Amino acid sequence: MYRSHVLVCGGTGCTSSGSERIIAALEHEIQENGLTEEIKVIKTGCFGLCALGPIMIVYPEGAFYSMVKPEDIPEIVSEHLLKGRIVTRLLYQETVQEDTVKSLNHTQFYAKQKRVALKNCGVIDPENINEYIGLNGYMALGKVLTEMTPEQVIQTIKDSGLRGRGGGGFPTGTKWSFAAAQPAGQKYVCCNADEGDPGAFMDRSVLEGDPHVVLEAMAIAGYAIGANQGYIYVRAEYPIAVKRLEIAIGQARENGLLGKDILGTGFDFDIELRLGAGAFVCGEETALMTSIEGRRGEPRPRPPFPAVKGLFERPTVLNNVETYANIPQIILNGADWFASMGTEKSKGTKVFALGGKINNTGLVEVPMGTTLREIVEEIGGGIPNGKKFKAAQTGGPSGGCIPASLIDIPVDYDNLISIGSMMGSGGLIVMDEDTCMVDIAKFFLEFTVDESCGKCTPCRIGTKRLLEILDKITKGKGTLEDLDKMEELCYHIKANSLCGLGQSAPNPVLSTLKYFRDEYVAHIVDKKCPAGVCKALLNFTIDPEKCRGCTLCARACPADAISGSVKQPHVIDPAKCLKCGACMEKCKFGAIYKK
Amino acid sequence: MEMVNIKINGMPLSVPAGSTILEAARQHGIEIPTLCYLREINEIGACRICVVEVVGMRNLVAACVYPVAEGMEILTNSKRVFASRKTNLELILSTHNRSCLSCVRSGNCELQKLCKDFRIYDETLYDGEKPASDYDDSAVHMVRDNSKCVLCRRCAAACAKWQDVAVIGPNGRGFNTHIGTAFNQNLSDVACVSCGQCIVVCPTGALSEKDNTKDVWRALSDPTKHVIVQTAPSIRVTLGEAFGMHIGTNVEGKMVAALRRLGFDGVYDTDFAADMTIVEEANELVERIKNGGKLPMITSCSPGWVKYCEHYYPEFTENLSSCKSPQQMFGALAKTWYAEKTGIDPKDIFVVGIMPCTAKKFETKREDESASGYPDVDVSLTTRELARMIERAGMYLPKLPDEEFDAPLGTSTGAGVIFGATGGVMEAALRTAKEWITGESGETVEFQEVRGTEGIKEASYQIGDLKLNVCVASGLKNAKKVLESVKSGEKEYHFIEIMGCPGGCVNGGGQPVQQAAVRNFIDLKARRAAALYENDKNKPIRKSHENPVVKEVYETYLGSYGSHKAHEILHTSYKKRNRF
């Protein structure tokens, strides 16, 4: 028995900000102080509040230390762990209370969250199967194998109202029932862990923080549809996830929870990993399976749907990581429990990766139907530097921009579709008034142009032509006719493309055209970028009234574009100016403007 | 057959369940245009030209791959459909090298036809950056010009699925996708077998044979050259297609007339050399069986197959008959026996082959193919190149009179003619071998078991004391299957005929291009082969060893079958080629 547990986040964010060094320092100090028998250090998955990393929590007090540096560790060990005095200065400020620490669950970031898929993330050691089992892990698998028929399993998932968390939102139970209805024979269960939206890391966090939940859910799916082989298609760029999955699969096999005759019930199920090379299109289900088959990862026409003819032309169920992460709890807690969360047609919770211009960058899980305002302003802690919220992009490059006027919309599958965006896998990028919406559309389109597989005409050529028009507009060379041409092309690409990538690629353009048309017009007619982002439309000028002639700007200019004598107002030569903004940063008198 | 009820453009129709919208529509006389679709091998829904509306569906669907379902209502000609197809064409055009006037496929280009049908009056509507494109003329037999590629991938499908060679395929992705070899090497540096199947399925001018017509024009205008031409068996039943004639029309006489009018000094028939091949090869087979030589013996007439064997199955090169192909035997004899007979110096004889084949161009450059000290064949043209020469010379083939081949190299038998179809070499060899082994001149000359367009055919014949097991394969994917079954010991044959192209030479990579709209619904190889068998039936002599000129060549020049001199002139050698 240990008297104290120290949980250090080993997720990707905190690992990047140095949590490995924190752990090393902790272990060193604990040894120096002779506490190895009393204190246990556990490396967990993501806590969610990535902006505050590296993060650690000391139990039983529940002291939440944020932005910990290795040099803080001796103090934490000697003060908190040895003497029982919490180091208040290192606590996450919101948890500081006079006599004790406030529970994390009562902080603004966590209060409105409901952790289902992320239940174990940041709680258990993902490399130790016993910790997963200790929190009812593999109990759901035991339950379905010993107490439920495959039909009952599928009915439970249907009743729960769970919809696919990977993008389309197809009802999971229905999908399983299609595969189950196929004649018996070789069938497969696949897991889509090829999360590729820029800025999204929900699935990554589940894999890193709670890998066994995916394995357990896949085995349940295998039992439900009559498959005995599973594949997890995971990006090679997720090395920690890959490693923890490998460890988890090994431990599950050792414990008889994967492999032959699971739990003595006669049910066989095993899982193998397949590493993807990072093509975004391989997140599309048919492309993913084509890639597993060892061929060029490209989508193929549907029907036939994977449930009928999927991997190696056999009936296949494919769900993404977050979808699977909900399964064991639905089995254990019942369909009604799950269906009690969320909205009428979107049940349960959804994990979002909050990013962009927001204070609490990180991972949040909220009941479906939570409003965008709650997510951004309360959980996300609002926009930094007192700037104004302008828009949020959901669904990554396939989604659309939601303007400030729609910030009170309850977030669920159908609402997002109705306003021209989509749930996608759960990326949520917040933009403030300094964001140019034309530039944002261009950014996302650059991504899809780059990631188009090149198979079908509208996506291969059409998206490129869209990007060229956008580029023209950001350079001030667009015409109003271009807007019509672009809109027409957007609808064409949506209606004609072979797969979801092309069918949704125009969404960022269409949604910005719909909600921010005035910005496009400003670029075209006034030759101005209202947010001051599009370089070609910017002009830097020095206000002679304010300029003191300190020469700092001239010295900072990499292009020798600024001239003027000492103590005399300086001038920028627009022909030479690179519009890098270095002068503006240097000016101490606020004399330089961009417009 | 289970049927479903659907509506196309409001018309209620009953169509077989499981058929695609394209097939269902076609059954009721509605043609849906396609570009990337190639039946059975390229059903990928990529080009989006065949898109149609299905009532109730948000997006358009590709008719070539979308299955019909009970109650489905389909619109194939709606405003939205037309607009979509048009935009897809405009997008393709924005990346296309539009130097159409002089393009080798002008007039027979599928993209051009679609653009005309959909009234693309602004070809430049979506112009922008063009994808980087390479022009690869490194190979002897063909040119790849990616600036004209529409990325339909029909070539890659033919290469992989018919030929199991797969040396070309999509590289890069998105806008930078292009068809190329592994690591974008030159085509001449990869294990391409030169079959040309990619060319005949290409909808545009992106893939074409290497044009050698100028070499022939030059020779024809050179007074010091004695320019003679030989036409392969299948040319007579395909050349007419290039002039709009029905598939399977025999235009032998008109072809001869055209060649004579082009100015050739002798218009001869490769069929004669095919007869030579049969007697020499049948003799080789009998010798191998009698003396315990390497079996099964495999034919070597098809240079695409031979190259495939050298690259992919070098362990079988000893099984290849050492006989040169008919094209090369013709050239070898033209520059030896014929030169001697006519008193013309072989260096002044210019031999042109008209072949159904692009690999024949490669074959002329092979080692050990110059019996006289000069290349056996100087230039090998495809059927398409001959058609272009005839057009340029201002002749309209259907209007030409029927004329006869010249003597002596134009004399042939029915056995020589059927070389052009899969199983033809086998049948011709059987006609001769049977008589030689049994010593009886039989009445039956037809061996129906080895006829037909199936990819692999097997038969056993009791010939004297010998039960002769034979196999016929065409298309290299089928060749591979046969070789693997021999390798594993599963099958034991004495003699195997392998043709590189599916269906044999009638479907060769040098034949006139039939657009996919025809190819997808008509079995070209069957129609063309039927014309060859019809020709054979009407020949007075149907056995190679009865060809009087063949007899003369042996009696007056070579001595006996398989003699030392015959070996020097009519046989060749093979080598292992690298696969990578």
Side-chain angles (χ1 to χ4, degrees):
Chain A
M1 281 293 283
Y2 296 93
R3 69 171 166 82
S4 232
H5 288 82
V6 184
L7 275 55
V8 185
C9 175
T12 295
C14 287
T15 301
S16 319
S17 55
S19 65
E20 297 280 347
R21 277 180 290 133
I22 303 290
I23 291 170
L26 258 176
E27 279 168 349
H28 175 77
E29 284 298 317
I30 286 170
Q31 190 151 23
E32 289 286 290
N33 287 285
L35 295 173
T36 43
E37 299 296 314
E38 296 171 49
I39 314 282
K40 186 168 170 62
V41 178
I42 299 159
K43 183 165 77 173
T44 69
C46 184
F47 285 62
L49 241 180
C50 306
L52 298 180
I55 285 167
M56 57 188 269
I57 302 188
V58 182
Y59 284 110
E61 297 88 344
F64 186 91
Y65 294 114
S66 62
M67 295 173 123
V68 183
K69 294 189 234 9
E71 47 271 32
D72 297 328
I73 297 301
E75 187 182 346
I76 292 175
V77 173
S78 63
E79 281 299 301
H80 187 160
L81 298 181
L82 207 57
K83 301 175 191 157
R85 294 196 287 247
I86 291 169
V87 187
T88 313
R89 73 169 181 93
L90 293 171
L91 285 179
Y92 173 39
Q93 279 311 302
E94 231 200 294
T95 62
V96 178
Q97 281 183 340
E98 238 167 66
D99 47 354
T100 176
V101 291
K102 188 162 128 189
S103 163
L104 263 188
N105 294 334
H106 297 125
T107 62
Q108 202 187 14
F109 182 72
Y110 288 104
K112 287 215 168 171
Q113 291 202 43
K114 171 80 187 161
R115 287 164 86 92
V116 177
L118 299 176
K119 181 176 81 97
N120 293 335
C121 289
V123 175
I124 61 165
D125 174 358
E127 297 184 13
N128 185 348
I129 191 172
N130 291 325
E131 297 209 1
Y132 179 69
I133 292 172
L135 290 177
N136 297 337
Y138 289 105
M139 216 152 108
L141 178 61
K143 183 177 172 185
V144 302
L145 292 183
T146 55
E147 297 174 18
M148 295 171 82
T149 63
E151 295 74 26
Q152 286 170 330
V153 175
I154 291 172
Q155 196 54 48
T156 303
I157 303 301
K158 276 187 177 172
D159 293 344
S160 75
L162 176 66
R163 293 168 67 174
R165 300 296 194 239
F170 192 80
T172 305
T174 309
K175 191 188 260 191
W176 289 16
S177 69
F178 291 155
Q182 293 299 311
Q186 181 71 60
K187 296 181 185 178
Y188 295 104
V189 171
C190 290
C191 172
N192 184 348
D194 191 61
E195 182 176 50
D197 293 7
F201 54 104
M202 299 73 60
D203 294 346
R204 176 180 207 162
S205 293
V206 173
L207 296 174
E208 289 176 355
D210 195 14
H212 285 284
V213 74
V214 177
L215 308 186
E216 182 181 5
M218 287 175 72
I220 292 169
Y223 175 73
I225 69 158
N228 54 33
Q229 179 65 48
Y231 289 96
I232 301 176
Y233 188 83
V234 56
R235 303 173 85 76
E237 297 103 313
Y238 282 3
I240 300 174
V242 171
K243 185 182 144 217
R244 290 187 187 156
L245 276 171
E246 280 168 350
I247 293 170
I249 290 172
Q251 289 177 346
R253 283 181 188 151
E254 280 166 24
N255 284 273
L257 296 164
L258 279 181
K260 297 271 174 212
D261 193 19
I262 294 172
L263 298 171
T265 59
F267 173 63
D268 302 336
F269 191 80
D270 208 350
I271 294 176
E272 284 181 38
L273 294 188
R274 287 290 179 272
L275 302 196
F280 179 62
V281 74
C282 286
E284 196 279 341
E285 58 178 8
T286 60
L288 184 150
M289 289 184 294
T290 310
S291 178
I292 292 181
E293 289 165 4
R295 293 182 283 134
R296 183 182 157 95
E298 286 179 339
R300 53 168 184 71
R302 297 175 305 182
F305 288 95
V308 179
K309 231 180 184 189
L311 185 62
F312 301 112
E313 306 212 323
R314 303 300 312 166
T316 303
V317 149
L318 176 77
N319 291 117
N320 91 326
V321 172
E322 191 186 331
T323 314
Y324 282 128
N326 284 296
I327 300 286
Q329 291 179 73
I330 293 173
I331 297 292
L332 289 180
N333 300 334
D336 293 344
W337 164 80
F338 191 81
S340 70
M341 296 178 282
T343 61
E344 192 196 338
K345 287 184 176 166
S346 303
K347 299 298 184 190
T349 58
K350 180 75 194 87
V351 183
F352 289 99
L354 265 184
K357 306 285 179 63
I358 187 131
N359 279 314
N360 296 335
T361 306
L363 211 58
V364 304
E365 182 170 359
V366 291
M368 292 277 188
T370 306
T371 66
L372 192 56
R373 186 188 296 280
E374 289 170 293
I375 297 172
V376 172
E377 293 182 356
E378 297 182 32
I379 299 170
I383 318 283
N385 305 321
K387 299 267 182 181
K388 268 194 351 215
F389 172 83
K390 184 174 190 177
Q393 169 96 9
T394 63
S398 312
C401 282
I402 304 167
S405 59
L406 294 173
I407 195 170
D408 288 311
I409 194 161
V411 175
D412 69 8
Y413 288 102
D414 309 291
N415 279 341
L416 288 182
I417 293 283
S418 72
I419 57 171
S421 185
M422 65 187 281
M423 186 72 85
S425 57
L428 205 163
I429 297 172
V430 179
M431 299 153 201
D432 68 7
E433 53 197 283
D434 289 344
T435 312
C436 167
M437 300 317 283
V438 184
D439 186 63
I440 279 291
K442 194 176 127 186
F443 167 81
F444 281 113
L445 211 62
E446 267 168 5
F447 181 84
T448 32
V449 166
D450 216 41
E451 295 292 342
S452 161
C453 78
K455 187 172 179 178
C456 76
T457 308
C459 180
R460 181 181 71 243
I461 310 173
T463 57
K464 173 79 175 175
R465 298 300 177 233
L466 269 186
L467 178 61
E468 286 171 346
I469 301 174
L470 279 173
D471 190 55
K472 219 172 112 184
I473 295 172
T474 59
K475 294 204 163 104
K477 294 175 181 161
T479 62
L480 287 174
E481 291 74 53
D482 281 336
L483 292 186
D484 298 335
K485 187 172 172 184
M486 203 160 68
E487 207 161 354
E488 216 171 276
L489 197 50
C490 281
Y491 287 117
H492 174 80
I493 295 168
K494 278 174 79 80
N496 280 270
S497 290
L498 172 62
C499 84
L501 192 154
Q503 287 162 10
S504 60
N507 285 349
V509 181
L510 281 173
S511 63
T512 49
L513 265 176
K514 181 173 173 190
Y515 298 117
F516 301 96
R517 198 177 185 91
D518 53 328
E519 279 194 46
Y520 282 89
V521 173
H523 283 73
I524 292 167
V525 178
D526 309 333
K527 310 287 178 212
K528 292 275 182 244
C529 173
V533 172
C534 298
K535 275 188 181 180
L537 300 177
L538 285 186
N539 276 314
F540 284 80
T541 49
I542 298 173
D543 181 350
E545 300 288 311
K546 288 187 177 171
C547 178
R548 307 276 184 88
C550 72
T551 76
L552 261 183
C553 61
R555 279 181 278 156
C557 178
D560 279 337
I562 304 179
S563 58
S565 316
V566 183
K567 296 195 175 165
Q568 296 296 319
H570 281 45
V571 190
I572 299 174
D573 177 357
K576 284 186 183 169
C577 176
L578 303 174
K579 299 164 185 180
C580 66
C583 53
M584 202 170 154
E585 270 174 35
K586 285 283 176 198
C587 181
K588 291 176 180 169
F589 311 105
I592 302 181
Y593 294 93
K594 67 173 181 185
K595 54 182 177 182
Chain B
M1 193 189 295
E2 195 196 330
M3 304 295 277
V4 294
N5 299 301
I6 61 169
K7 273 187 187 172
I8 298 183
N9 303 334
M11 273 192 305
L13 302 169
S14 174
V15 298
S19 53
T20 63
I21 293 175
L22 183 84
E23 290 160 349
R26 193 185 150 81
Q27 281 187 359
H28 292 276
I30 301 160
E31 290 283 345
I32 296 172
T34 61
L35 186 57
C36 70
Y37 175 70
L38 210 52
R39 197 159 58 99
E40 285 172 4
I41 65 161
N42 205 45
E43 302 179 348
I44 62 173
C47 72
R48 317 308 280 180
I49 296 300
C50 69
V51 287
V52 296
E53 271 191 90
V54 173
V55 175
M57 283 186 70
R58 189 178 59 212
N59 294 332
L60 300 167
V61 303
C64 69
V65 288
Y66 207 88
V68 293
E70 179 64 35
M72 188 182 263
E73 287 184 46
I74 301 154
L75 302 175
T76 68
N77 291 332
S78 68
K79 192 179 160 198
R80 188 170 178 223
V81 165
F82 282 167
S84 293
R85 289 178 188 162
K86 190 167 176 229
T87 303
N88 284 326
L89 284 169
E90 285 161 342
L91 288 171
I92 290 171
L93 275 184
S94 75
T95 63
H96 195 71
N97 173 355
R98 298 188 294 258
S99 56
C100 302
L101 291 179
S102 56
C103 179
V104 69
R105 289 292 299 276
S106 189
N108 187 23
C109 170
E110 296 183 29
L111 180 63
Q112 197 177 46
K113 181 177 186 312
L114 288 167
C115 288
K116 189 191 76 184
D117 292 350
F118 285 91
R119 299 297 308 273
I120 309 293
Y121 47 83
D122 184 2
E123 294 171 1
T124 65
L125 186 63
Y126 286 109
D127 270 10
E129 188 189 327
K130 293 220 170 175
S133 59
D134 55 336
Y135 182 89
D136 180 358
D137 62 354
S138 61
V140 175
H141 68 293
M142 70 179 286
V143 176
R144 293 177 48 240
D145 182 356
N146 272 345
S147 69
K148 292 177 181 169
C149 176
V150 295
L151 287 169
C152 66
R153 305 192 184 183
R154 280 154 49 166
C155 55
C159 194
K161 297 197 179 162
W162 281 339
Q163 303 298 59
D164 207 42
V165 166
V167 291
I168 50 170
N171 287 345
R173 71 174 182 210
F175 191 68
N176 299 318
T177 308
H178 59 279
I179 301 295
T181 63
F183 308 110
N184 290 321
Q185 298 172 84
N186 282 334
L187 194 60
S188 58
D189 295 335
V190 299
C192 165
V193 300
S194 315
C195 71
Q197 284 300 313
C198 54
I199 303 174
V200 285
V201 297
C202 181
T204 70
L207 302 177
S208 59
E209 62 287 343
K210 192 168 260 180
D211 190 304
N212 295 113
T213 55
K214 65 177 183 307
D215 304 326
V216 178
W217 288 116
R218 195 184 302 124
L220 285 171
S221 61
D222 183 345
T224 66
K225 293 285 183 203
H226 179 74
V227 187
I228 59 175
V229 65
Q230 53 163 326
T231 60
S234 62
I235 312 297
R236 70 210 69 208
V237 296
T238 59
L239 181 65
E241 292 172 32
F243 296 88
M245 298 169 80
H246 285 296
I247 296 163
T249 308
N250 186 341
V251 295
E252 180 181 304
K254 298 180 194 306
M255 173 181 75
V256 170
L259 289 166
R260 201 162 276 140
R261 281 156 184 72
L262 284 172
F264 286 100
D265 298 307
V267 179
Y268 299 125
D269 197 346
T270 312
D271 290 12
F272 155 73
D275 285 332
M276 286 294 303
T277 306
I278 283 304
V279 295
E280 202 57 26
E281 197 163 312
N283 179 69
E284 185 183 354
L285 176 64
V286 172
E287 291 290 316
R288 285 197 193 201
I289 292 172
K290 266 204 285 193
N291 304 329
K294 190 88 174 168
L295 290 173
M297 190 172 91
I298 312 177
T299 59
S300 59
C301 309
S302 165
W305 145 243
V306 170
K307 194 162 186 269
Y308 177 83
C309 183
E310 291 176 323
H311 279 298
Y312 299 89
Y313 286 94
E315 65 272 31
F316 277 98
T317 48
E318 280 184 43
N319 297 70
L320 288 173
S321 161
S322 64
C323 289
K324 287 179 181 174
S325 74
Q327 167 178 263
Q328 299 302 112
M329 277 203 186
F330 179 97
L333 284 173
K335 292 189 182 184
T336 55
W337 173 72
Y338 172 84
E340 207 174 286
K341 191 178 164 89
T342 55
I344 304 172
D345 187 335
K347 86 170 166 37
D348 294 326
I349 299 178
F350 193 90
V351 178
V352 177
I354 308 295
M355 296 290 139
C357 183
T358 47
K360 288 284 173 193
K361 289 179 188 288
F362 174 83
E363 189 183 62
T364 62
K365 311 284 185 209
R366 287 183 65 96
E367 291 165 33
D368 199 9
E369 301 276 357
S370 45
S372 63
Y374 301 98
D376 292 337
V377 175
D378 293 277
V379 173
S380 184
L381 299 183
T382 58
T383 317
R384 297 188 290 272
E385 288 164 279
L386 173 61
R388 288 205 289 277
M389 287 186 76
I390 296 172
E391 278 182 339
R392 196 204 278 199
M395 286 182 278
Y396 181 55
L397 191 83
K399 291 284 178 203
L400 292 180
D402 290 321
E403 295 182 5
E404 297 208 340
F405 282 112
D406 293 321
L409 300 176
T411 308
S412 66
T413 71
V417 168
I418 57 173
F419 257 59
T422 170
V425 177
M426 178 60 69
E427 183 168 347
L430 288 170
R431 289 179 189 177
T432 293
K434 189 178 176 195
E435 291 199 5
W436 283 358
I437 294 172
T438 60
E440 296 162 13
S441 177
E443 280 303 303
T444 49
V445 292
E446 293 185 359
F447 293 80
Q448 294 292 345
E449 299 79 4
V450 295
R451 292 188 181 186
T453 55
E454 306 88 271
I456 299 175
K457 294 166 278 188
E458 291 179 289
S460 288
Y461 297 101
Q462 192 67 42
I463 301 178
D465 300 334
L466 178 70
K467 188 175 171 229
L468 190 75
N469 297 323
V470 302
C471 177
V472 173
S474 70
L476 295 170
K477 186 174 199 170
N478 295 319
K480 181 182 185 173
K481 277 187 206 153
V482 170
L483 294 182
E484 288 296 335
S485 70
V486 170
K487 224 166 136 175
S488 70
E490 183 198 337
K491 299 279 186 182
E492 278 189 36
Y493 302 114
H494 296 96
F495 190 32
I496 305 174
E497 178 205 296
I498 297 181
M499 291 294 157
C501 294
C505 306
V506 284
N507 190 35
Q511 296 287 29
V513 174
Q514 287 291 353
Q515 299 192 353
V518 175
R519 208 171 238 290
N520 281 333
F521 302 101
I522 290 174
D523 189 356
L524 297 178
K525 44 191 190 294
R527 289 214 188 176
R528 292 166 176 173
L532 285 183
Y533 285 110
E534 185 64 24
N535 192 211
D536 164 46
K537 217 160 100 186
N538 299 326
K539 285 271 192 179
I541 309 175
R542 299 180 70 188
K543 297 169 202 159
S544 295
H545 57 282
E546 292 175 0
N547 182 326
V549 184
V550 171
K551 285 184 188 162
E552 186 194 337
V553 171
Y554 279 98
E555 279 161 18
T556 64
Y557 190 67
L558 295 174
S560 57
Y561 304 131
S563 69
H564 181 67
K565 196 166 185 180
H567 264 274
E568 279 189 338
I569 296 174
L570 303 179
H571 289 249
T572 186
S573 52
Y574 310 103
K575 66 177 185 187
K576 177 183 183 341
R577 291 178 200 270
N578 289 336
R579 198 166 162 182
F580 303 107

